[in-house]
Amino acid sequence: MDPEITVPAGAKIVLTVLNMDFGPGKIHGVLIGKAKPPYKTVVPIPVQGQIAEIPLTMPRTAKSIKKSRYFVGTTTFRAPQNPGTYFYLCQMPGHAKTGMYGKFVVTP
Ligand SMILES: [Cu+2]
């Protein structure tokens, strides 16, 4: 499991993913919702209670690495008004199943 993220209810959130991986298949994104682990290999989208999504971002390639360029995804959303525990996860098949997820806690 990845680090826990805590935000206040109703907060405006700007979430950015910087894909620092290199090589084929190292594609990542983020979904946030109520769907809890354990996850199957393919997580149906949208997840239950989904509140945010960053579409899949590509890894660096031999061409882009020369420019020190990473692929970035970003989204802006508002945290739910009701406190509770959500989970963020990577929607690339197999990634959430093998631990690419964490708690997203909304506090009062
Ligand atoms: Cu991933």
Side-chain angles (χ1 to χ4, degrees):
M1 184 165 17
D2 290 319
E4 184 173 311
I5 297 171
T6 303
V7 301
K12 181 184 176 187
I13 296 164
V14 179
L15 181 66
T16 298
V17 164
L18 179 68
N19 189 343
M20 297 179 75
D21 267 341
F22 179 83
K26 301 283 181 82
I27 299 167
H28 307 288
V30 176
L31 299 176
I32 304 176
K34 280 287 191 182
K36 296 174 186 164
Y39 300 105
K40 295 181 175 168
T41 300
V42 174
V43 179
I45 297 173
V47 295
Q48 178 204 348
Q50 184 170 313
I51 57 172
E53 176 184 10
I54 294 178
L56 293 169
T57 59
M58 299 304 289
R60 286 177 295 170
T61 63
K63 192 173 178 183
S64 68
I65 204 169
K66 288 178 189 157
K67 300 174 184 171
S68 299
R69 182 177 294 170
Y70 296 109
F71 290 89
V72 174
T74 191
T75 186
T76 301
F77 65 102
R78 202 161 283 281
Q81 292 294 342
N82 295 330
T85 299
Y86 292 73
F87 289 87
Y88 66 89
L89 59 97
C90 178
Q91 68 268 50
M92 185 68 182
H95 289 195
K97 183 180 183 180
T98 54
M100 205 175 286
Y101 67 88
K103 280 186 180 175
F104 183 89
V105 179
V106 177
T107 60

